[in-house]
Amino acid sequence: MTLLSIEDGSPLHSSQRDMAEALPQIVWTARPDGTVDWVNSEFRRYTGFKDIRPPAGEWLRAVHPDDRKPTLEVWAQTIARGKPYRTDFRLWCAAEGRWRAHLVDARPHHDGEGRVLRWFGIATDIQEIRDADAERETELRLRAIESLVLEQVSAGNEISEILESICARMGEIIDGVRVSVALVSEDGQRLEQWFATDLPDAWCRAVTDLQVAEDAGACGTVANRCAPVISADIACDPLWESHRDQALQHGISASWSLPVCDTAGRPIASFACYFDHPRAPTDAQLAHLRRVATFIRTAIEHVHARDRLHASERRYRSLFDLLPIGISERDISEVQAMIRDLKTDGVTDIAAWLDANEDFFDRASQSIRCLDANRAALELRDVENLEELSRKIAGLRRTPTFRASVRKLLLALFNGESSFEMTHSLTRRDGSLADIHLRNFLPDPSGGRLLATGLDITEQRRAEERFRHVAQSSSDYIFD
């Protein structure tokens, strides 16, 4: 059996041709000079080109225009070398109406002296592999955007920075896209803040303060409907009647808009993708945009919650600082750990144990850290700031009054008490003595925080002392 037979116009023997026609791939042959002279029927079925003449090069009509020149260049180099050929290019798929990637392999057949007699090639559809690779890459990029959003939220970035960074990264998800995010006003009636990175300023100004309503452009409509609005061709979309000319002037020919809704389903933003030519999204692209919309919702909700918390903290701080009673917070977590160790070691009579281990007072007092204090607490201690307060407390650690207060704390912790009170005197900068009444609280017995309130009772004690002196004098006079 000869390898080649061209009696019926085919360069293949009948059995070879039957095998080539049975394969699901496109099979082809070429002459030694590289002229493609035969393709199997799969080529015609797949591409829809029924009447092409391969030797005339008409098979190139089925190759993507951008791939034709590089394909011929590589093929010419292969012919010159006489070596196996492998490349990839896009072929037209008539059934899907789009271009699909193919891996193309060809091998030369030689005679006994090594001359190329013919080329045999096969083209295999690898679009699904390409799509899977692209989907994996897109997933990685989506995760990178999500991580960036979470990092920025954690770092305390402003919502404008976060949303603009999302807009800037969207080109990695969809080629040729320009993105904007518009926040819905608190009353839900309009889009009042717009964020974008590569849209003309004039366009952003034109749509600022857009109403949330039907037919208010794609963004206003999407916020009103709480459902995606796809304008594949703005030139003929009635939703764009009021902004069509401006959009086309700025090179915006298509718009894909998605709502960003909170957990209750209320619109909080409009997320729009713009393109410079008419274009509709695929199902996969819509799924990706919905993912990004959830990132935007996460950013908005977290930043708003953070801002509300900061506002609450500012209100608390104002109240904290304006109260006339001294309030301070200390970290006693290490002291609590030391007390637990004593119990583990079998100590039961803590008072006696402390009398026998006075060095424990030093270790315990050194581990207490002052976390915060309001203005009244600083004034009680006659200091200007927290750092000065910490230094002053450190200088008092060996005084009998301070050691007595530490002892009372240790006894309370050991006995599981959540509060205790004490009164002690301290010396002000002018040398005068002040009497301070302290009440100490443990909000959480195991939380490591000690809250203390302090009240200057110097005048109260002096008044009591004067009263006792007057009462005693009156009593002495009466009985005399």
Side-chain angles (χ1 to χ4, degrees):
M1 180 181 71
T2 60
L3 179 65
L4 303 174
S5 173
I6 56 174
E7 296 172 357
D8 57 358
S10 168
L12 301 178
H13 187 276
S14 60
S15 62
Q16 296 171 331
R17 188 170 62 251
D18 291 343
M19 180 181 67
E21 294 290 5
L23 291 174
Q25 290 92 355
I26 294 172
V27 179
W28 53 275
T29 66
R31 298 167 185 165
D33 65 358
T35 301
V36 175
D37 57 1
W38 182 83
V39 293
N40 67 350
S41 59
E42 177 64 14
F43 176 88
R44 294 176 173 82
R45 185 203 67 78
Y46 187 92
T47 65
F49 292 96
K50 306 294 185 182
D51 301 322
I52 66 164
R53 294 173 298 163
E58 294 178 357
W59 59 273
L60 272 173
R61 291 163 51 196
V63 178
H64 193 284
D66 294 344
D67 297 344
R68 292 169 187 171
K69 183 178 179 180
T71 294
L72 291 177
E73 290 175 349
V74 174
W75 182 230
Q77 294 170 6
T78 299
I79 297 302
R81 294 195 305 266
K83 300 294 184 182
Y85 165 78
R86 169 170 283 193
T87 190
D88 61 84
F89 51 70
R90 288 163 288 179
L91 285 175
W92 180 254
C93 177
E96 297 184 10
R98 68 179 181 123
W99 302 97
R100 290 179 64 91
H102 281 67
L103 178 66
V104 183
D105 281 290
R107 297 288 185 273
H109 176 67
H110 301 91
D111 63 12
E113 297 181 2
R115 292 187 295 267
V116 175
L117 297 176
R118 182 159 295 280
W119 291 86
F120 296 92
I122 188 169
T124 304
D125 189 326
I126 58 170
Q127 188 61 50
E128 290 185 3
I129 297 174
R130 289 284 177 86
D131 289 344
D133 290 342
E135 185 62 27
R136 281 193 293 271
E137 184 64 28
T138 299
E139 177 63 25
L140 292 175
R141 291 171 178 173
L142 284 169
R143 292 183 182 182
I145 294 175
E146 182 179 26
S147 296
L148 175 63
V149 169
L150 295 177
E151 288 172 6
Q152 291 178 319
V153 169
S154 299
N157 291 36
E158 296 295 330
I159 191 63
S160 58
E161 298 176 68
I162 301 173
L163 296 182
E164 287 175 358
S165 69
I166 293 175
C167 294
R169 298 287 291 271
M170 281 303 298
E172 301 174 10
I173 308 302
I174 300 176
D175 291 336
V177 70
R178 292 181 288 174
V179 175
S180 72
V181 178
L183 299 185
V184 176
S185 60
E186 289 188 9
D187 61 9
Q189 299 301 308
R190 63 192 185 282
L191 301 175
E192 59 181 3
Q193 290 181 279
W194 288 73
F195 303 98
T197 54
D198 51 6
L199 285 168
D201 290 340
W203 168 252
C204 293
R205 288 194 299 271
V207 294
T208 297
D209 210 33
L210 193 67
Q211 293 296 308
V212 174
E214 195 70 17
D215 299 327
C219 292
T221 302
V222 78
N224 184 62
R225 295 180 183 177
C226 280
V229 172
I230 306 301
S231 299
D233 189 353
I234 288 175
C236 56
D237 191 328
L239 284 177
W240 284 85
E241 184 175 353
S242 59
H243 293 89
R244 179 180 293 113
D245 292 342
Q246 290 172 315
L248 297 177
Q249 286 171 8
H250 291 98
I252 298 174
S253 298
S255 169
W256 310 344
S257 298
L258 278 78
V260 179
C261 299
D262 62 17
T263 52
R266 294 183 295 265
I268 56 176
S270 176
F271 170 42
C273 298
Y274 303 104
F275 300 90
D276 60 7
H277 60 279
R279 181 177 179 182
T282 65
D283 291 342
Q285 288 170 332
L286 276 178
H288 297 154
L289 295 181
R290 288 190 179 96
R291 287 271 303 279
V292 177
T294 64
F295 304 160
I296 295 172
R297 184 191 73 188
T298 297
I300 294 173
E301 291 187 333
H302 278 71
V303 170
H304 285 178
R306 184 190 68 203
D307 291 345
R308 288 193 297 269
L309 177 61
H310 287 172
S312 176
E313 288 175 344
R314 287 192 295 271
R315 289 193 298 271
Y316 164 76
R317 188 75 212 187
S318 297
L319 179 63
F320 181 71
D321 284 333
L322 292 174
L323 282 174
I325 299 175
I327 304 174
S328 61
E329 179 182 9
R330 292 179 175 83
D331 179 357
I332 59 166
S333 55
E334 292 187 30
V335 178
Q336 288 180 316
M338 295 164 70
I339 292 295
R340 287 194 296 269
D341 290 342
L342 292 180
K343 291 183 175 182
T344 302
D345 292 340
V347 174
T348 56
D349 187 346
I350 183 63
W353 190 90
L354 290 175
D355 290 339
N357 297 271
E358 292 192 0
D359 62 315
F360 188 80
F361 287 98
D362 295 329
R363 290 189 288 117
S365 61
Q366 290 171 7
S367 70
I368 299 173
R369 294 187 302 110
C370 191
L371 302 177
D372 200 0
N374 69 348
R375 174 54 52 186
L378 297 177
E379 291 174 352
L380 281 176
R381 295 286 183 177
D382 204 16
V383 295
E384 293 297 328
N385 52 56
L386 192 63
E387 182 179 354
E388 191 176 342
L389 175 62
S390 297
R391 288 198 302 268
K392 186 164 187 176
I393 292 175
L396 297 173
R397 283 178 181 148
R398 293 190 175 275
T399 63
T401 300
F402 187 83
R403 292 174 73 86
S405 66
V406 173
R407 180 185 179 90
K408 201 156 191 175
L409 170 64
L410 296 174
L411 291 173
L413 292 176
F414 191 91
N415 295 323
E417 299 172 7
S418 59
S419 65
F420 63 94
E421 300 182 23
M422 62 179 301
T423 300
H424 66 83
S425 298
L426 55 84
T427 303
R428 293 195 178 102
R429 291 182 182 180
D430 61 5
S432 62
L433 291 177
D435 295 322
I436 308 299
H437 181 73
L438 294 175
R439 298 187 65 191
N440 297 272
F441 307 88
L442 291 169
D444 180 356
S446 59
R449 293 171 59 241
L450 177 69
L451 295 180
T453 62
L455 184 63
D456 187 340
I457 59 171
T458 305
E459 292 303 321
Q460 177 184 336
R461 283 206 163 180
R462 288 177 180 173
E464 291 174 352
E465 185 64 29
R466 287 195 298 270
F467 178 79
R468 283 195 298 269
H469 178 73
V470 171
Q472 182 63 44
S473 298
S474 298
S475 174
D476 292 345
Y477 175 77
I478 291 171
F479 287 102
D480 285 346

